[in-house]
Amino acid sequence: MRPGAVVAVWGCLLAGLAILLATFPLDVEAVALLGGAAASMLLLALLVLVAERPPRSEDRRAIPDLSLATPLAGIALCSLVVGAEVGLWLILIGAGLLTLALGGLVREGRAQRRAGKEPR
Amino acid sequence: MSVAVASQRLPRFVALAGGTDHKRVGLRVMVMALVFFLAGGVMALVMRTELAQPGLQVVSRGAYNALFTMHGSTMIYLFVTPAALALGVYLVPLQIGAAELAWPRLALLGSWLFLGGGITMYMGFLTNGGPGRAGWTAFDPLSDAANTPGIGMDLWVFGVALATAGEILLAATVLATLLRRRAPGMTMLRLPMFSWTMVVTCLMTVVSFPVLIVAMGLLWVQREFGGVFDSAGGPIAYQHLFWFYGHPVVYVMFFPFVGAVAEVVATFARKRFFGYRALVLSLLAFTAISMSVWAHHMFATGQVPNRYFALTSTALLVPAGIEYFDLLATLWGGSLLLRTPLLFALGFIVQFLIGGLSGIFVASPPLDYHVHDTYTVVAHFHYTLFAGSLFGLFAGFYYWFPKVTGVLLRERLGQAHFWLMAIGANVTFFPMFFLGYDGMQRRIADYSQHPGWGDLNLVSSIGSGVIALSILALLVNIAVSLARRQPAGDDPWEGHTLEWATTSPPPRHNFTTVPPIRSFSPLLDLREARAGSEAPAAAEAT
């Protein structure tokens, strides 16, 4: 069984249940929610099926051990969200931290790609 | 496929904050979830003290509202759901022979958003009006700015959204790992049972949890500006959005523990799991149907097609029955090793049955009208989530603790934990069925001198004290076991799945070599092959 097929089967089950729901006295919100979930799963299944390929022996990936930019991004996102209640000053701090974090993530990504290309 | 690694010794604090190792991330989320569990448990004890007798006023009515809101929110958003996902983050790469999660940075970000969400929610305690107090569901209009004013409720809304976003990221990384990072030979139909339960759990998470973030966003706009849920159908629209998350989350808090129990049962029955393919099919059917039962929480509104949701809710019995049959058939005829993990697994099987069977009653609209918003519902969901899922979690905890730490937990303390918890859970929650059937409403700080209510509530409150004692036994067990270490070895239980093929605790990238994978129980295959080859040799020697 291919991984994409698992997601597709599950999406089809949701779609069947959504169709069954539509045959009952109409509840537009309920049908939209379940139908939307089915559609999103079928889309995900399609993506998984398209991206599927067996691993090749020459494939090499570098795995990060540490990413300090990621917790910084987490703190920044929390500051941005809570800032909506606490005040603009926290939103600005959050935006600054997020900029720093994104820069750090780009730098980490480049280093990771370089490490993956280094000769064995 | 090979992996380039640049491992280095990291300072402890730096590694704790930014380490991307899936084991570190999973362990961190689990520890945070257990800390939140203790906080939620303390709130439950205060509530049970308040309810021990009619007329008792330990806390004010407003404080009681805040307590049951934060207790429910803590247990669902900050404890059981993240604990279930943390198990997946830690164990899935080990079970499928992967070196790491598919997107380790995303998992790390998820753990930070979860922590940030929890802290944000709890910051409400520091505000003038106190934390959120509109229940863990925050139904509109109860949760709007007029009925629940104050910054604490806004922080609750943000905290829920952030923690949920973190949980989505954790689930997405586990799902991508299961779909894309399996070791050669590990086909989908050779995934261990726990990993299969994580497949369906993560599918449910990524499709239903974003709807809660939308609901929280709209609720905040409603609180700040109004106009979102003001129309006649507004409160129903909010309930649809909330329960589209709120019921699947019940299964997100259930399936990983079914997987853990299945692993424990097979290992401690010394047998291959019975009916693997039936289990896989039932999991897919069970989770799909459970995505379409959410409006059974809304029967009493009269605004949803009750017949459809009663039908799907009752249909859950079929896949649930298959899973129960598989578990019992695996136990049947096995040479049972009655250690603490199996005790908790058996506790899960028996007690979840009570939760499940009482669910059939509330899946029927006429019966639901009678017990809606009463203590019967409280008893039902505590039998599923506490007496069920939590026992499954502890089965997994005692089973995998030696793998994670390299040391064994003390057996006697483990058994004390089990028996105290089993007695405490039943003494606490069983009387609630009678209270609810007799009409005692939930979410009230006090109740009338109705005959029998005082006694049943007193029994329930005593039970909650016994549960607290059981948690004390667990904490002592962890402390003693870590202080006076009894080395576990790599495979203390003779496990069936790949995580037992590596060291305890596992190294940074999990495996030096992955054993051949020919079924969902690769280590059992190896053991049987070895026994098969040794038997003729022994016969030849004699």
Side-chain angles (χ1 to χ4, degrees):
Chain A
M1 189 191 270
R2 293 166 67 185
V6 172
V7 185
V9 166
W10 202 68
C12 288
L13 284 171
L14 291 186
L17 287 161
I19 291 165
L20 181 64
L21 174 58
T23 64
F24 280 76
L26 191 61
D27 183 339
V28 177
E29 286 155 342
V31 174
L33 280 168
L34 195 52
S40 63
M41 276 300 104
L42 290 172
L43 186 68
L44 177 65
L46 192 67
L47 289 174
V48 175
L49 283 168
V50 168
E52 256 176 41
R53 65 175 177 81
R56 294 184 302 233
S57 58
E58 66 269 25
D59 282 355
R60 256 180 120 230
R61 287 179 294 113
I63 294 176
D65 254 359
L66 180 73
S67 173
L68 287 177
T70 305
L72 193 61
I75 293 166
L77 287 171
C78 292
S79 306
L80 280 170
V81 172
V82 177
E85 189 62 38
V86 175
L88 182 64
W89 61 273
L90 191 56
I91 294 180
L92 291 173
I93 290 173
L97 290 178
L98 189 61
T99 310
L100 277 176
L102 290 176
L105 285 171
V106 169
R107 191 167 162 271
E108 284 178 15
R110 282 184 182 162
Q112 195 177 336
R113 270 197 299 279
R114 275 199 305 276
K117 285 176 187 167
E118 276 170 13
R120 292 181 217 195
Chain B
M1 186 159 25
S2 62
V3 175
V5 188
S7 276
Q8 51 190 335
R9 297 275 309 166
L10 304 170
R12 202 176 174 80
F13 172 74
V14 173
L16 199 64
T20 55
D21 182 357
H22 71 96
K23 298 182 286 298
R24 197 181 283 274
V25 174
L27 203 55
R28 190 168 45 211
V29 174
M30 182 61 85
V31 169
M32 289 188 287
L34 287 174
V35 170
F36 283 123
F37 168 61
L38 294 179
V42 169
M43 287 184 241
L45 284 176
V46 177
M47 286 194 300
R48 281 313 323 166
T49 309
E50 170 69 51
L51 293 170
Q53 284 296 294
L56 207 60
Q57 220 59 62
V58 178
V59 291
S60 69
R61 283 163 196 262
Y64 186 84
N65 290 347
L67 279 175
F68 75 68
T69 297
M70 290 303 287
H71 166 73
S73 306
T74 300
M75 292 307 189
I76 287 170
Y77 303 117
L78 304 178
F79 168 50
V80 190
T81 307
L85 294 170
L87 269 185
V89 169
Y90 193 101
L91 290 167
V92 160
L94 287 164
Q95 285 207 323
I96 65 172
E100 184 50 279
L101 285 170
W103 302 313
R105 284 192 188 86
L106 220 52
L108 180 61
L109 180 61
S111 74
W112 276 91
L113 288 181
F114 158 63
L115 177 63
I119 290 171
T120 302
M121 213 186 282
Y122 270 72
M123 271 163 48
F125 279 107
L126 305 175
T127 62
N128 279 337
R133 53 192 181 282
W136 79 277
T137 54
F139 286 150
D140 181 83
L142 176 63
S143 59
D144 68 15
N147 292 307
T148 312
I151 191 174
M153 186 67 210
D154 292 313
L155 290 172
W156 182 91
V157 170
F158 290 137
V160 170
L162 285 168
T164 305
E167 288 156 10
I168 292 170
L169 295 184
L170 292 172
T173 53
V174 174
L175 182 62
T177 308
L178 282 157
L179 298 180
R180 299 294 305 274
R181 291 277 186 268
R182 298 180 316 280
M186 181 62 80
T187 61
M188 290 304 284
L189 284 177
R190 289 177 187 167
L191 286 180
M193 283 85 69
F194 174 76
S195 290
W196 255 113
T197 58
M198 286 312 299
V199 171
V200 291
T201 298
C202 294
L203 283 173
M204 294 174 81
T205 304
V206 297
V207 80
S208 65
F209 281 34
V211 179
L212 180 68
I213 297 182
V214 171
M216 288 300 117
L218 292 174
L219 184 58
W220 182 73
V221 174
Q222 170 71 18
R223 288 177 57 78
E224 289 293 307
F225 310 106
V228 181
F229 300 119
D230 291 337
S231 66
I236 295 296
Y238 175 84
Q239 287 198 33
H240 266 306
L241 290 175
F242 181 82
W243 287 119
F244 191 74
Y245 152 86
H247 200 80
V249 75
V250 172
Y251 294 97
V252 167
M253 295 186 284
F254 166 64
F255 283 112
F257 307 126
V258 172
V261 166
E263 302 281 4
V264 168
V265 162
T267 301
F268 287 84
R270 299 278 180 258
K271 271 176 73 182
R272 195 175 294 271
F273 190 77
F274 179 89
Y276 173 81
R277 285 186 183 228
L279 179 84
V280 169
L281 287 174
S282 76
L283 283 174
L284 287 169
F286 200 151
T287 44
I289 299 170
S290 65
M291 286 292 298
S292 64
V293 300
W294 77 91
H296 67 210
H297 294 273
M298 299 160 68
F299 281 157
T301 65
Q303 303 287 312
V304 292
N306 282 5
R307 283 188 303 153
Y308 172 83
F309 288 104
L311 173 72
T312 50
S313 304
T314 311
L316 286 173
L317 269 175
V318 178
I322 294 172
E323 285 165 21
Y324 258 82
F325 180 76
D326 281 354
L327 288 170
L328 295 177
T330 306
L331 285 168
W332 190 265
S335 49
L336 300 184
L337 185 63
L338 213 57
R339 303 289 290 271
T340 309
L342 185 60
L343 282 176
F344 273 102
L346 295 174
F348 169 90
I349 290 170
V350 172
Q351 295 180 143
F352 194 86
L353 192 63
I354 300 173
L357 291 177
S358 58
I360 299 170
F361 293 96
V362 285
S364 166
L367 295 175
D368 181 71
Y369 296 151
H370 178 63
V371 296
H372 184 76
D373 261 344
T374 69
Y375 262 86
T376 296
V377 176
V378 179
H380 158 63
F381 70 71
H382 277 91
Y383 261 98
T384 57
L385 290 181
F386 187 94
S389 293
L390 205 59
F391 275 68
L393 171 65
F394 283 126
F397 183 87
Y398 279 90
Y399 180 56
W400 281 303
F401 189 88
K403 176 53 58 186
V404 173
T405 60
V407 299
L408 288 166
L409 284 164
R410 297 295 193 271
E411 186 59 25
R412 280 192 178 183
L413 279 168
Q415 298 209 3
H417 173 203
F418 168 76
W419 287 111
L420 283 171
M421 195 168 224
I423 293 166
N426 286 292
V427 171
T428 304
F429 302 120
F430 207 76
M432 292 180 183
F433 281 120
F434 301 110
L435 285 167
Y437 193 79
D438 211 15
M440 182 172 164
Q441 279 184 305
R442 62 193 286 207
R443 295 174 176 145
I444 49 169
D446 205 357
Y447 49 93
S448 62
Q449 303 266 0
H450 191 281
W453 284 12
D455 294 341
L456 286 171
N457 271 294
L458 184 61
V459 169
S460 185
S461 297
I462 290 168
S464 66
V466 179
I467 293 174
L469 280 179
S470 77
I471 298 300
L472 191 64
L474 168 72
L475 295 176
V476 170
N477 196 353
I478 295 172
V480 169
S481 302
L482 290 176
R484 297 181 199 159
R485 303 169 75 89
Q486 289 179 351
D490 294 345
D491 186 8
W493 314 121
E494 296 192 352
H496 296 183
T497 44
L498 284 183
E499 72 270 27
W500 302 105
T502 187
T503 56
S504 301
R508 170 65 182 91
H509 294 289
N510 297 343
F511 299 95
T512 43
T513 54
V514 178
I517 301 161
R518 297 194 186 91
S519 79
F520 62 90
S521 303
L523 297 198
L524 186 62
D525 295 340
L526 278 181
R527 233 172 271 132
E528 284 175 353
R530 212 175 294 139
S533 64
E534 276 169 9
E540 206 169 289
T542 52

